[in-house]
Every structure is written in C-alpha cells, then in structure tokens.
Amino acid sequence: MSLAFLIFLVAWVIGMIGTFVPALPATAIIFIGSVAATLVDGFQPWPDLPFLITFGVITVLISMIDNVASAWGARKYGGSKQAVWGAIIGGIVGILPVIPFGLIVGPLLGALTAELLIVRKAPMDALRSAWGTLIGLLAGIAAKVVLHLLIGLYELWRLWDPAKSVF
C-alpha cells in the first residue's frame, strides 16, 4: 500500500462512518481524501484532472441526495416543508448519544413535531407525513452508502500500486 492509498483509505473509512451522521459532510471528506491522495501520489494533469473534476461534480450531486430524498418522501406521503426541516433538525439532535436509535427516531419525531405543532395537522396525517419523511431520509442514506462504496472502491483500485508500498 502506498502513502496515497493509505491517506484515501482513512478518509474513505471516516466518510463511510460519517454517512450515518447528519452533521458530518461525509461526501466532502471522501472527496478531500481523494484530492490529498492524488497530490501525494504525484498529480498528473491526465488522467487526474478529469477524474477530480468528475468526482467534484458527483460530490455536489451526492451531497444533495438527503434533501431530495427527504423532500420526496415528505411530498409523497403528504408532508410539508416544515416536516422536512423538522426531520433534518431531529436528525441532528438524534446524534446525541442519550437518544437510543437517535438517527432513526430523531428525524421521525422532528417531522412529526413540526407537522403537529407548526402545520397543525391531525395526528394521523402528521404521522403519515413524518413516516414519509423518514422513508425519504433512509432512502437517501442508502443511496449515499452505495455511492460512497462505489467511489471508494474505484479510488482504491486507482491508487493501488504495489511498487509504491510503504511497508
């Protein structure tokens, strides 16, 4: 394993773990790890520049998945914009270790609270839209995990060079 490989591997593992933490920019961490690894490996305009530009665009798109997926889930199940914001805030609060299963319960309770207290929906309607918001958030996280996994494996394959082994 080369130093560049190890640098990216550490960033990728942190990014994969960060995928499940709403406040951590997991995709950006993986992208920064890729840029750092490319620079350590000896940046070459071809093929590194097209790869980094493509990966940068993909990073921006992946970063929007949570918002798009939660908005889709909320809209599909009759939720409001306030439910989406409630789910995001609930997800951030859910990071706290005092809440069991906070990453799942937090967005659900946040969306439900927003629908009940701000939008003033009936309890069953509020529960339905909160459920949709949660489904959207979980779908977004699943999509991010798959995309982070694919990008990470590709980058590790790209950086693999036994001739530059640190060990």
Side-chain angles (χ1 to χ4, degrees), residues 66 69-70 103-104 107 131-144:
D66 285 343
S70 63
L103 293 177
I104 295 171
W131 177 253
T133 304
L134 178 66
I135 294 296
L137 283 171
L138 293 176
I141 289 171
K144 279 180 129 176

Side-chain angles (χ1 to χ4, degrees), residues 3 6 18 22 27 37 48 57 60 63 84 88 96 106 109 111 113 119 157:
L3 181 58
L6 289 173
T27 309
D48 293 337
V57 170
V60 171
S63 297
V84 174
I88 291 169
L96 301 174
L109 289 179
T113 302
V119 181
W157 172 78

Side-chain angles (χ1 to χ4, degrees), residues 139-150:
I141 289 171
K144 279 180 129 176
V145 166
V146 169
L147 292 169
H148 288 167
L149 186 64
L150 292 173

